[in-house]
């Protein structure tokens, strides 16, 4: 679970960073005046061909809403003498929208004017992080009396937001917003890469959808904040606004699909998945006309999209509640991750907060809600897959243990015949290569049946266990010990020449005879007969076993409690007559 702990610590570090940025931004003094058509702005519509110099002759209307300006010029004028601003220190902040050109005229009390402008595709040095355009009023001896904004071919005045600040507040808020947006975008970028790579590694569909959603939100945040203009300055204006609209609508179907695919077939009925995905897809389809429109219809289509977004949120909440009641752990994880984004999206569809959060409005709230969701889901996925990895490792360990138990004799703990044959493979390979001699010792306890008959099977088991403890001392890299069944044991050893092998076999026989079985059978001695097959060359276990069994039979016939050795040098063809034989009491 170390990876999960590291993830939680990383999340905590990022949250601290974001919190510090919010506190810093919150403490920035904000003596701003929001410009609105209902109160502080007057308007007039002219032909787009009219020059800016016609401003003094225009007759502005200070009530109602402008009409039919999408193909013409919309002029908006604010009388600064009626607003609570320092008229000697003014910065106009306008949120970027869909227009061909924005010209700003600063009018002074002495009759002089200063003009600045930006065009779609060319914001120059006027763009600021947080999707805003800044126009600083030049300092004059006379104070400002009015600011006039001229929009050529504006898509919708209802999407406009403008504020008046002093230079200090404007700089501080822009810097703080840039820091916060950078932190949120970094989280989204990391989450997108993490979820997509995790989806490839574990082959989980919902992680791919969530990774796509995080990537979509990252691109949306990058374009909305205008940080992409550092690399692509020509994308400023309408193109960026259209891309933001498309990405925002695309994020909804990606998110809803991520939710329904994570819950599984058992946790959620098919019809609920279909309805939720259909609502998300409908929002995505609404994004196509919303992206392309530059007429008054954009607000009507936007209202439809808002209703569909709310319906999709209700459907997602219903799916999560349904799956939670059915005991879905994924539903609990997604409920925690989606709680803040769902509340956020619902609130911004109902409540207008566009003039809040230092000019960031609803967009900055959505960006941080997306970062929160991404953090939660990434940590939840990491924790869940860490748990699955632990369970997998436990299952593998249990399987390995079961496999090992299947290769062991339950009474003595020595290898059984299967485990013995599997273990001696490398030693026999050495013999086939001619690099090392090997020998198989078959050990049979003398008159073991009489021990069971006289003292009982429990006593016989104790005798076998005592012999196992003695034989176990030789088990190692060059020697394998096993109980083949009943009172028969086997020992395969490599690297001993004929003389050393004979001495070793005799010591085994003597060690068995020296075992103390007083607790089980009293003073009765227990001896063993040993048949040894020695080989160097090609061969296999069956051939060795056959030759060692012959030697063991000879030891039994010769009176027991002795060792008989038979050896040959060409295992692979039918065994030749033994070239040497040895036998004797232990």
């Amino acid at each position: 679970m170390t990876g999960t702990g590291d993830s939680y610590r990383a999340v905590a570090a990022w949250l601290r960073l974001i919190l510090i940025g919010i506190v810093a931004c919150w403490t920035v003094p904000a003596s701003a005046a929001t410009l609105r058509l209902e109160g502080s702005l007057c308007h007039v519509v002219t032909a787009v061909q009219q020059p800016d110099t016609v401003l003094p002759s225009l007759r502005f209307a200070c009530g109602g809403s402008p009409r039919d300006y999408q193909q013409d010029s919309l002029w908006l004028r604010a009388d600064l003498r009626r607003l609570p601003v320092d008229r000697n220190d003014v910065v106009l902040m306008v949120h970027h929208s869909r227009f061909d050109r924005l010209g700003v005229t600063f009018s002074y009390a002495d009759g002089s004017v200063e003009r600045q402008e930006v065009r779609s595709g060319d914001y120059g040095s006027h763009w600021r992080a947080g999707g805003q355009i800044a126009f600083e009023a030049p300092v004059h001896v006379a104070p400002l009396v009015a600011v006039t904004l001229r929009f050529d071919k504006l898509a919708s005045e209802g999407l406009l937001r403008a504020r008046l600040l002093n230079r200090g507040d404007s700089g501080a808020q822009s810097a703080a917003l840039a820091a916060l947006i950078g932190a949120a975008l970094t989280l989204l970028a990391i989450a997108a890469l993490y979820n997509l790579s995790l989806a490839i590694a574990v082959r989980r569909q919902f992680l791919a959808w969530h990774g796509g959603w995080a990537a979509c939100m990252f691109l949306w945040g990058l374009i909305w904040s205008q940080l992409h203009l550092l690399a692509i300055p020509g994308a400023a204006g309408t193109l960026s606004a259209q891309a933001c609209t498309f990405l925002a609508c695309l994020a909804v179907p990606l998110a809803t699909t991520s939710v329904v695919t994570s819950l599984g077939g058992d946790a959620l009925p098919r019809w609920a998945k279909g309805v939720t995905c259909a609502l998300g897809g409908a929002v995505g389809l609404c994004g196509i006309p919303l992206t392309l429109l530059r007429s008054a219809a954009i607000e009507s289509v936007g209202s439809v999209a808002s209703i569909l977004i709310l319906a999709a949120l209700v459907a997602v909440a219903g799916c999560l509640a349904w799956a939670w009641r059915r005991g879905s752990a994924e539903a609990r994880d997604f409920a925690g991750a989606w709680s803040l984004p769902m509340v956020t999206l619902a609130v911004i569809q109902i409540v207008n907060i566009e003039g809040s959060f230092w000019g960031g409005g609803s967009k900055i709230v959505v960006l941080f809600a997306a970062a929160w969701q991404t953090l939660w889901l990434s940590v939840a996925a990491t924790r869940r897959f860490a748990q699955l990895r632990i369970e997998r490792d436990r299952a593998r360990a249990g399987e390995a243990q079961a496999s090992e138990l299947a290769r062991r004799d339950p009474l003595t703990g020595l290898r059984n015949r299967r485990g013995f044959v599997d273990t001696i493979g490398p030693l026999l390979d050495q013999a086939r290569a001619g690099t090392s001699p090997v020998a198989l010792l078959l050990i049979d306890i003398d008159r073991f049946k009489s021990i069971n008959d006289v003292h009982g099977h429990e006593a016989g088991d104790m005798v076998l266990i005592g012999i196992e403890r003695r034989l176990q001392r030789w088990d190692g890299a060059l020697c394998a010990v096993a109980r083949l069944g009943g009172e028969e044991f086997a020992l395969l050893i490599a690297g001993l020449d004929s003389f050393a092998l004979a001495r070793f076999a005799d010591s085994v026989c003597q060690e068995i005879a020296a075992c103390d079985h007083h607790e089980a059978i009293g003073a009765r001695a227990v001896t063993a007969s040993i048949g040894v097959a020695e080989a160097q060359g090609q061969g296999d276990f069956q051939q060795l076993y056959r030759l060692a069994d012959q030697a063991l039979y000879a030891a039994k016939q010769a009176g027991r409690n002795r060792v008989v050795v038979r050896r040959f040098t060409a295992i692979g063809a039918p065994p030749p007559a033994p070239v040497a034989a040895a036998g004797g009491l232990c």
Side-chain angles (χ1 to χ4, degrees):
M1 296 294 287
T2 302
T4 305
D6 292 342
S7 299
Y8 277 119
R9 286 191 288 271
V11 168
W14 278 110
L15 288 177
R16 284 196 297 270
L17 177 60
I18 292 173
L19 181 60
I20 291 170
I22 291 174
V23 171
C25 200
W26 189 271
T27 56
V28 172
S31 55
T34 302
L35 303 181
R36 302 180 186 275
L37 274 174
E38 308 87 61
S40 54
L41 289 174
C42 300
H43 61 85
V44 68
V45 177
T46 68
V48 74
Q49 294 83 9
Q50 292 286 347
D52 292 340
T53 55
V54 302
L55 174 61
S57 63
L58 296 179
R59 306 181 73 175
F60 287 85
C62 296
S65 298
R67 297 176 180 273
D68 303 324
Y69 53 80
Q70 280 79 13
Q71 298 303 317
D72 293 313
S73 294
L74 173 63
W75 300 69
L76 302 174
R77 183 177 178 86
D79 188 343
L80 301 190
R81 291 169 296 189
R82 301 178 182 178
L83 297 175
V85 295
D86 181 358
R87 292 188 288 149
N88 294 312
D89 184 11
V90 173
V91 177
L92 173 66
M93 303 290 286
V94 182
H95 193 279
H96 79 86
S97 185
R98 303 183 194 185
F99 53 78
D100 285 356
R101 172 182 174 269
L102 167 58
V104 176
T105 301
F106 295 101
S107 301
Y108 295 86
D110 60 1
S112 62
V113 296
E114 295 285 348
R115 294 186 177 91
Q116 302 174 18
E117 70 171 42
V118 295
R119 296 179 179 273
S120 185
D122 182 14
Y123 280 3
S125 60
H126 291 281
W127 70 269
R128 297 291 184 270
Q132 300 180 96
I133 313 167
F135 299 91
E136 295 187 5
V139 178
H140 276 58
V141 175
L144 274 171
V145 293
V147 174
T148 306
L149 295 78
R150 177 184 180 178
F151 293 92
D152 292 346
K153 296 184 178 181
L154 176 67
S156 173
E157 54 84 14
L159 302 178
L160 287 178
R161 301 202 313 273
R163 297 180 304 145
L164 292 173
L165 301 165
N166 60 48
R167 287 178 176 80
D169 290 350
S170 171
Q173 290 187 18
S174 295
L177 274 175
L180 289 175
I181 292 168
L185 291 178
T186 301
L187 285 175
L188 287 169
I190 293 173
L193 294 174
Y194 175 76
N195 282 277
L196 291 173
S197 61
L198 192 60
I200 295 172
V202 302
R203 298 183 180 181
R204 294 294 298 273
Q205 185 180 10
F206 89 89
L207 287 171
W209 286 108
H210 182 64
W213 172 85
C216 184
M217 292 302 297
F218 168 78
L219 290 174
W220 171 83
L222 186 69
I223 295 173
W224 162 74
S225 66
Q226 301 188 124
L227 294 179
H228 70 300
L229 298 183
L230 292 169
I232 316 173
T238 299
L239 181 61
S240 293
Q242 290 174 321
C244 283
T245 301
F246 175 76
L247 290 170
C249 293
L250 177 62
V252 176
L254 290 175
T256 53
T257 306
S258 172
V259 172
V260 297
T261 54
S262 73
L263 298 178
D266 297 335
L268 201 62
R270 183 173 296 178
W271 66 264
K273 289 185 176 182
V275 169
T276 305
C277 288
L279 289 170
V283 175
L285 290 175
C286 274
I288 297 175
L290 276 174
T291 300
L292 301 176
L293 282 174
R294 295 190 63 182
S295 65
I298 190 172
E299 295 188 27
S300 300
V301 179
S303 299
V304 173
S306 298
I307 294 172
L308 289 173
I309 289 172
L310 288 173
L313 291 175
V314 172
V316 168
C319 289
L320 292 174
W322 187 303
W324 194 331
R325 290 190 62 184
R326 291 194 172 189
S328 171
E330 290 82 2
R332 291 192 293 271
D333 288 338
F334 266 85
W338 271 85
S339 57
L340 183 60
M342 285 194 294
V343 171
T344 300
L345 288 174
V347 168
I348 65 175
Q349 299 302 320
I350 300 171
V351 181
N352 183 7
I353 60 171
E354 298 303 327
S356 307
F357 300 103
W358 322 286
S362 63
K363 308 300 189 298
I364 192 71
V365 177
V366 169
L367 190 62
F368 281 110
W372 162 269
Q373 183 186 38
T374 298
L375 285 172
W376 188 291
L377 288 180
S378 298
V379 172
T382 302
R383 184 181 68 248
R384 188 158 302 282
F385 285 115
Q387 292 172 346
L388 290 176
R389 185 172 63 247
I390 292 173
E391 293 175 1
R392 180 202 64 189
D393 293 342
R394 288 176 178 171
R396 287 181 176 177
E399 182 181 359
Q401 185 178 11
S403 176
E404 182 63 19
L405 290 175
R407 294 154 49 94
R408 293 282 175 176
D409 172 56
L411 176 64
T412 62
L414 293 174
R415 299 177 187 86
N416 56 21
R417 188 183 189 92
R418 172 187 169 186
F420 185 62
V421 172
D422 292 344
T423 303
I424 64 177
L427 298 177
L428 292 178
D429 290 340
Q430 294 179 14
R432 295 188 189 101
T435 59
S436 176
V438 294
L440 176 65
L441 283 70
L442 287 185
I443 304 166
D444 189 84
I445 308 304
D446 295 331
R447 298 183 175 86
F448 185 73
K449 184 177 181 301
S450 65
I451 295 176
N452 285 335
D453 293 341
V454 174
H455 301 280
H457 288 278
E458 184 177 355
D461 289 346
M462 293 177 67
V463 170
L464 293 176
I465 292 172
I467 294 172
E468 170 269 325
R469 290 173 181 169
R470 190 59 58 95
L471 295 177
Q472 184 71 44
R473 297 188 305 177
W474 287 294
D475 192 69
L478 297 178
C479 185
V481 181
R483 180 191 177 199
L484 301 184
E487 67 273 20
E488 186 175 79
F489 295 84
L491 190 152
L492 188 108
I493 189 167
L496 297 182
D497 58 21
S498 299
F499 178 75
L501 177 62
R503 290 177 61 90
F504 174 74
D506 285 339
S507 66
V508 171
C509 188
Q510 293 171 12
E511 288 284 342
I512 292 174
C515 287
D516 182 7
H517 305 291
H518 189 272
E519 184 178 346
I521 57 175
R524 176 171 175 171
V526 177
T527 62
S529 300
I530 301 178
V532 182
E534 179 187 1
Q536 183 166 0
Q538 298 179 350
D540 57 26
F541 174 73
Q542 295 299 329
Q543 292 172 322
L544 277 175
Y545 183 84
R546 190 179 305 115
L547 190 60
D549 190 54
Q550 294 173 6
L552 177 61
Y553 180 78
K556 292 284 189 181
Q557 290 296 106
R560 297 183 175 84
N561 190 26
R562 64 189 62 231
V563 176
V564 172
V565 179
R566 293 191 175 180
R567 59 184 180 272
F568 53 85
T569 58
I571 306 176
V579 296
L585 291 172
C586 294

